[in-house]
Amino acid sequence: MFSLTNRIRQISSPASQLYRCQSTLVVAEHNNEKLNPVTLHAITAAKQLGGDINCMVVGSQNCANVAKEIAEVGGISKILVAENAVFEGFLPEKLAPVLLASQDQFKFTHILAGASAFSRSLLPRVAAKLDVSPISDIIGVKDADTFVRTIYAGNAIMTLKSKDPVKIVTVRSTAFEAAGSSGGAAAIEDFAAPTEGPSVSQYVGQELSKSDRPDLSSAKVVVSGGRGMKNGDNFKMLYDLADKLGAAVGASRAAVDAGMVPNDMQIGQTGKIIAPELYIAVGISGAIQHLAGMKDSKVIVAVNKDAEAPIFQVADYGLVADLFKAVPEITEKI
Amino acid sequence: MALKVLVGCKRVIDYAVKIRVRPDKLGVVTDGVKHSMNPFDEIAVEEAVRMKEKKIAKEVVVVSCGPAQSQETIRTALAMGADRGVHIEIPADQMTVLQPIHVSKILAKLAEKEAADVVMLGKLAIDDDSNQTAQMTASLLDWPQGVFASKVEQKDSGLEVVREVDGGLETIKINLPAVLSADLRLNEPRYATLPNIMKAKKKKIEKIKPEDLGVDVAPRIEVVSVEDPPVREAGQSVGDVDELLGKLKDKGFSS
């Protein structure tokens, strides 16, 4: 009787069973030219899950090149490529059927993507059809079913266990290293993606900010301006400082709302969530929702003329001063 | 072409409140804490009411899933100009595990029942920060989605939507019926005036249970723990720029 019980325990060990059938699909993000690094952070999370890792590249051009970039990362079994003009603009109504078709064929246990506007738009659409509850913006993997994510603008951390048979997860880049190229040689294959179906949505165009500065999401140093900057012209002094530091420039919601800078510079709960080595907050009061976007930065510097500003409670170094004098001085002396 | 708009709103802990983790580490303290309508939902309600004022919409029905107090949130939407409300009754202790998958099913069923042309939601709720419900509702209905919308305009027989995305702005055209989600800059919501608050008391709120719509709200997740985030040590103040640069240099930052 003792040996029977032992055998039963072995057979029903959930961890080992899951590992054997576990297979993850990472949905790649790209712009029809290059891979978006956010995907590399998602691949690292996939590796922490264990099991087989595959990638899907869907787009309207140059998908093979994007696939080759991914292939250089070690530990990936196969990369599926679905290229067709109908995927122009990466419309979720067009891309979701592709992921549903691949799920039908390969029966992945996990579908991952780097957390971004693209994946937030797409993955929940897929999850709804699969009748599973997607898990957004994870910052940790405990095991194949158990994930960690922030709630209440990062003021609480929830660990949750998913009961669904397929886990659909978006991955916060700041919480996982970017998987590096290590001479991988994944197999790249074409995937016969569904392209028929009515067009209920149409991509018209985009207005993207162009900048030679480092990408805000991944920059090591960020200079950020808030309401205290008073107007968009004044942001020039932050651009000058950023150029000297090789930094990216961000902004608080107040600055974007006031039209000082475009929306893609917004850092906060519903903007970009970043964790650079150095974050310099200029004329930013430090509202809860802004802190959600930058409080994991290694070093925080705050410059504000209001000594009571909440930003000083999270800053490592706080300078109570008139930013219009302090910032040019910093730029000159740095 | 006057549209029927279904707007979703959620009662959440007010955005300015400093939240506290419960001693049992399974949630946050909600008793006696100030609650309000989710800020993104205020923007959604405002947009729907403006559509009615512009005669693009003919009726705005507002829906909220939650315990009895959700009716306060519905009343606020009615005071802003919505015509009638629907309260989907969910017990308070189920709210932590009520997720977008459940809410989207409820909204999809309701959209069909009400023959809605537009479902208007907030981009995300500031408690769970999921940003999923609009996308999932659209998917269940096989409708197009215009999510993270900063501008919505009628174009031909559909809608042109400008969306806030990571790199800037994206414009799409979508057919009707459609699901939209409001981003921060879509509009600035009005304050309900006292006369409108009084008028709202006479507007109807229908009470429904999820089972009445055939929706199963059994939990898909188990909350293992809810904890405080790592505490950042208090920093120091520096007297001037020279001191600041000195400290940064010590830390290893030099240009």
Side-chain angles (χ1 to χ4, degrees):
Chain A
M1 219 163 22
F2 177 76
S3 57
L4 184 63
T5 319
N6 253 0
R7 228 180 306 141
I8 289 171
R9 216 173 285 143
Q10 265 185 321
I11 289 166
S12 64
S13 157
S16 59
Q17 280 202 320
L18 270 167
Y19 191 90
R20 270 204 300 279
C21 335
Q22 208 167 291
S23 174
T24 299
L25 180 72
V26 177
V27 182
E29 180 167 344
H30 64 97
N31 62 354
N32 286 319
E33 270 175 63
K34 291 181 335 171
L35 180 68
N36 187 312
V38 78
T39 305
L40 299 172
H41 298 267
I43 290 174
T44 300
K47 291 188 177 189
Q48 285 185 23
L49 282 170
D52 194 46
I53 302 177
N54 305 275
C55 284
M56 167 78 83
V57 181
V58 190
S60 51
Q61 298 177 54
N62 295 318
C63 293
N65 288 344
V66 176
K68 283 205 198 91
E69 273 190 71
I70 301 173
E72 284 164 25
V73 177
I76 297 179
S77 302
K78 112 173 130 251
I79 302 172
L80 303 166
V81 176
E83 182 171 309
N84 194 296
V86 308
F87 302 131
E88 197 211 355
F90 303 101
L91 294 167
E93 295 89 349
K94 290 285 181 201
L95 267 63
V98 178
L99 295 182
L100 290 167
S102 72
Q103 184 58 20
D104 197 48
Q105 185 176 340
F106 298 104
K107 314 233 185 294
F108 299 109
T109 54
H110 296 75
I111 303 177
L112 263 54
S116 68
F118 162 75
S119 65
R120 287 184 198 115
S121 202
L122 172 61
L123 259 57
R125 234 186 134 96
V126 175
K129 289 286 191 191
L130 294 174
D131 196 14
V132 300
S133 183
I135 301 159
S136 300
D137 252 59
I138 62 162
I139 58 169
V141 173
K142 286 271 154 94
D143 63 41
D145 309 307
T146 312
F147 305 95
V148 186
R149 62 183 299 269
T150 64
I151 55 175
Y152 289 97
N155 288 295
I157 300 194
M158 179 187 274
T159 302
L160 62 99
K161 193 168 150 130
S162 165
K163 300 180 185 205
D164 284 319
V166 182
K167 325 285 189 236
I168 298 189
V169 180
T170 62
V171 176
R172 184 176 293 179
S173 298
T174 55
F176 299 86
E177 299 282 319
S181 315
S182 52
I188 299 177
E189 24 178 284
D190 282 332
F191 179 70
T195 55
E196 303 310 313
S199 281
V200 290
S201 62
Q202 220 185 319
Y203 172 73
V204 174
Q206 59 188 8
E207 251 176 70
L208 302 182
S209 302
K210 291 217 182 316
S211 167
D212 292 325
R213 291 190 191 91
D215 177 55
L216 184 53
S217 301
S218 52
K220 293 223 157 29
V221 182
V222 173
V223 177
S224 196
R227 191 191 306 271
M229 297 304 296
K230 300 252 174 16
N231 63 51
D233 291 336
N234 291 334
F235 263 76
K236 177 165 188 317
M237 82 178 76
L238 299 186
Y239 297 136
D240 290 342
L241 174 57
D243 288 341
K244 252 197 145 176
L245 291 169
V249 181
S252 71
R253 175 192 171 174
V256 180
D257 280 359
M260 294 186 210
V261 288
N263 66 289
D264 57 286
M265 284 170 64
Q266 181 168 327
I267 291 169
Q269 179 185 16
T270 74
K272 292 190 167 61
I273 296 183
I274 62 172
E277 303 281 314
L278 174 61
Y279 186 85
I280 303 176
V282 180
I284 291 177
S285 65
I288 297 172
Q289 293 77 16
H290 184 75
L291 299 188
M294 42 61 81
K295 65 183 174 146
D296 288 333
S297 306
K298 274 287 260 323
V299 175
I300 297 174
V301 169
V303 179
N304 195 307
K305 68 179 183 203
D306 177 10
E308 306 298 313
I311 191 84
F312 289 119
Q313 285 161 32
V314 299
D316 297 288
Y317 306 112
L319 177 61
V320 180
D322 177 355
L323 67 93
F324 293 102
K325 298 207 179 75
V327 173
E329 195 184 337
I330 295 173
T331 308
E332 188 200 345
K333 291 181 172 173
I334 223 169
Chain B
M1 209 255 267
L3 308 171
K4 184 152 180 202
V5 182
L6 181 68
V7 186
C9 62
K10 185 180 183 186
R11 177 178 178 267
V12 297
I13 293 180
D14 186 83
Y15 78 95
V17 165
K18 185 161 165 44
I19 63 121
R20 278 180 306 132
V21 170
R22 271 180 7 211
D24 69 1
K25 297 266 189 97
L26 288 173
V28 305
V29 177
T30 53
D31 284 343
V33 171
K34 179 177 183 207
H35 284 64
S36 318
M37 189 188 301
N38 180 37
F40 288 91
D41 299 344
E42 287 181 330
I43 298 172
V45 171
E46 174 65 29
E47 194 67 13
V49 172
R50 287 189 191 187
M51 284 171 82
K52 210 176 67 154
E53 288 167 348
K54 287 190 238 174
K55 309 243 192 283
I56 299 172
K58 61 175 183 244
E59 192 187 5
V60 176
V61 179
V62 59
V63 53
S64 189
C65 300
Q69 298 98 317
S70 291
Q71 294 200 24
E72 291 160 20
T73 311
I74 296 174
R75 289 269 170 233
T76 304
L78 294 171
M80 285 171 72
D83 296 294
R84 123 179 102 79
V86 179
H87 171 211
I88 309 283
E89 298 176 288
I90 307 276
D93 57 9
Q94 269 180 40
M95 290 304 283
T96 327
V97 290
L98 183 80
Q99 293 202 285
I101 187 170
H102 307 116
V103 177
S104 61
K105 287 183 181 182
I106 291 168
L107 291 173
K109 283 281 159 84
L110 215 48
E112 281 169 344
K113 183 168 176 266
E114 293 279 349
D117 301 294
V118 174
V119 177
M120 186 88 214
L121 305 175
K123 173 173 96 165
L124 58 80
I126 61 170
D127 48 12
D128 59 80
D129 285 325
S130 292
N131 190 340
Q132 301 165 4
T133 309
Q135 297 84 307
M136 297 182 82
T137 307
S139 187
L140 292 171
L141 290 164
D142 281 316
W143 289 5
Q145 62 189 51
V147 296
F148 332 146
S150 60
K151 192 153 166 223
V152 177
E153 274 178 350
Q154 264 190 318
K155 190 87 182 252
D156 306 324
S157 56
L159 299 173
E160 188 170 270
V161 181
V162 178
R163 313 174 49 218
E164 294 205 0
V165 294
D166 291 334
L169 300 172
E170 178 189 274
T171 305
I172 57 173
K173 245 185 83 176
I174 57 178
N175 294 356
L176 286 166
V179 180
L180 303 172
S181 80
D183 211 326
L184 290 174
R185 284 166 277 276
L186 181 57
N187 61 50
E188 232 181 276
R190 67 194 67 192
Y191 291 105
T193 61
L194 194 50
N196 284 334
I197 295 172
M198 298 310 294
K199 260 193 258 169
K201 292 191 196 225
K202 299 203 190 89
K203 295 183 181 177
K204 251 183 64 168
I205 299 182
E206 190 187 350
K207 285 204 277 266
I208 308 184
K209 292 194 169 57
E211 328 57 291
D212 300 334
L213 294 170
V215 175
D216 176 9
V217 291
R220 301 305 187 91
I221 62 163
E222 187 194 303
V223 176
V224 175
S225 72
V226 173
E227 311 201 42
D228 287 303
V231 178
R232 246 198 123 89
E233 293 299 320
Q236 46 183 285
S237 71
V238 293
D240 55 31
V241 170
D242 293 317
E243 199 186 335
L244 171 65
L245 294 179
K247 300 277 184 201
L248 287 177
K249 206 151 169 227
D250 290 342
K251 272 267 177 176
F253 293 105
S254 50
S255 70

